[in-house]
Amino acid sequence: MPPEDNEGLQPDSTSSGAGTSAVHSLFTVPAPIKRLFDRFPLTTYPPNDLPQRSPSQRHSNQLYVFSDSKSARHGRPSFNPQCLKWQAYLKFVGVDFEVTPSNNHASPTGALPFLLPALPADASTPIPSHKLQKWAIEQVHCEEEQQLNLRFEVYASLLDHRLRNAWLYMLYLDSENFEAVARQHYVIPVTTNTIVRTALGIQLQQAARDELLKASKYIDVADLEGDASSAFEALSALLGEDEHFFGRPKPGLFDASVFAYTHLILDEGMGWKQNRLAQLLRKHPNLVEHRERLLQFF
């Protein structure tokens, strides 16, 4: 299963029939392997136990995200949009926590991020990402009017679909970015075995390709970039001259959701080789400034 919000695509344009056929033939499962899995199908196992290195006595909340050890020690932003969204949100609402580098396989829920609360709370049960907002509100008693606002849901779809799809393509379909960014973050740290690395890379790319093909019969780069451009335009108009979205005095969940993409798109430390999304984003100075303001939290 690929890292959430980081699935892959094929670098060649799929608008031509020949290109599409080549892609499908390359990733077609060989008949002997298919017969093997038909005979011995995959088994779905129950949720994983907590990581063994999890301390039995915790004096701080532990947020498990995609990160490396050095970045985690300094509380730097995760390189994964889904993880960064919640890492930023907890910071914005004033929840103290420590970052622990992890991966999907180490997660009890099978996905990152998740949080282990500090004692004396009932820390035996991890808090998955879809429950983090409710948990954070209970901890700091913060007001979250935006979650009741229909506009929040409408604009959130811009992030969940248009920006996310363009991000998936840029991260995995572009061959240079896949080697320089995706492979460095999601493949190489997992194992030193060359064969396993190759298989994992193919799995990540195929999973992302499948994700994008849910919305279209073929992957069109121009359409993805056009959707991203319109999403940036809409977000820029929504933000206007305000410091935070929806005119809030402090950044909230939607600010964190936008920052999770805008920061990583503009972050030169990611090592992008091709970055069309950054070119589109820089056409909207207020979004760039929004990212710079929120980066100060880190």
Side-chain angles (χ1 to χ4, degrees):
M1 192 69 183
E4 192 157 338
D5 282 316
N6 285 277
E7 294 119 46
L9 300 171
Q10 176 62 24
D12 299 324
S13 172
T14 58
S15 57
S16 63
T20 304
S21 299
V23 170
H24 285 294
S25 63
L26 178 62
F27 290 97
T28 299
V29 178
I33 296 179
K34 184 178 186 302
R35 288 195 295 270
L36 175 63
F37 279 95
D38 288 342
R39 186 174 180 182
F40 301 100
L42 296 177
T43 301
T44 300
Y45 292 96
N48 300 327
D49 293 330
L50 293 176
Q52 292 184 356
R53 68 174 181 268
S54 300
S56 59
Q57 296 294 325
R58 289 184 299 277
H59 301 288
S60 63
N61 302 309
Q62 300 289 321
L63 182 68
Y64 288 75
V65 301
F66 282 106
S67 183
D68 57 71
S69 298
K70 182 178 180 181
S71 297
R73 285 197 303 270
H74 294 283
R76 293 171 182 165
S78 169
F79 51 76
N80 178 277
Q82 180 73 357
C83 290
L84 180 53
K85 168 185 173 180
W86 293 106
Q87 183 184 7
Y89 175 71
L90 294 178
K91 282 183 174 289
F92 297 162
V93 298
V95 174
D96 293 328
F97 62 92
E98 294 181 359
V99 172
T100 301
S102 188
N103 57 64
N104 284 339
H105 300 292
S107 169
T109 62
L112 294 180
F114 70 93
L115 182 139
L116 293 182
L119 299 178
D122 180 11
S124 61
T125 302
I127 301 174
S129 60
H130 67 276
K131 295 183 178 180
L132 276 176
Q133 184 183 27
K134 180 178 182 295
W135 177 84
I137 293 174
E138 293 173 350
Q139 302 305 305
V140 297
H141 308 289
C142 58
E143 295 292 336
E144 284 293 332
E145 300 89 350
Q146 67 185 45
Q147 65 180 330
L148 304 177
N149 195 319
L150 180 60
R151 290 190 305 165
F152 176 85
E153 298 298 331
V154 172
Y155 283 98
S157 68
L158 296 175
L159 302 173
D160 296 337
H161 300 288
R162 296 190 176 190
L163 277 186
R164 180 173 182 266
N165 287 346
W167 166 268
L168 297 181
Y169 179 90
M170 183 174 75
L171 181 61
Y172 282 103
L173 201 154
D174 185 283
S175 58
E176 293 186 65
N177 283 337
F178 178 75
E179 293 298 326
V181 184
R183 187 179 295 278
Q184 296 298 318
H185 287 310
Y186 295 107
V187 177
I188 291 179
V190 175
T191 178
T192 58
N193 187 294
T194 302
I195 297 177
V196 176
R197 284 179 174 177
T198 300
L200 179 57
I202 293 174
Q203 179 189 31
L204 293 175
Q205 289 182 312
Q206 185 60 50
R209 186 180 298 106
D210 292 343
E211 181 71 16
L212 290 176
L213 290 176
K214 291 178 181 179
S216 176
K217 293 182 179 180
Y218 62 93
I219 300 167
D220 189 303
V221 183
D223 283 350
L224 291 172
E225 292 181 352
D227 286 345
S229 180
S230 63
F232 286 138
E233 184 175 358
L235 291 171
S236 177
L238 176 64
L239 179 61
E241 298 181 358
D242 294 333
E243 290 193 355
H244 308 119
F245 283 96
F246 304 108
R248 294 173 57 85
K250 296 181 178 180
L253 181 58
F254 193 78
D255 294 274
S257 302
V258 174
F259 174 76
Y261 283 104
T262 58
H263 169 65
L264 295 178
I265 289 171
L266 295 176
D267 184 12
E268 296 181 356
M270 289 287 290
W272 300 113
K273 298 299 181 181
Q274 306 289 338
N275 198 340
R276 175 61 177 158
L277 293 185
Q279 298 175 9
L280 298 173
L281 176 56
R282 290 193 177 100
K283 294 181 180 180
H284 306 283
N286 62 339
L287 293 181
V288 176
E289 293 168 0
H290 176 265
R291 177 254 184 177
E292 294 297 332
R293 283 193 298 270
L294 299 190
L295 186 59
Q296 299 306 313
F297 279 87
F298 292 89

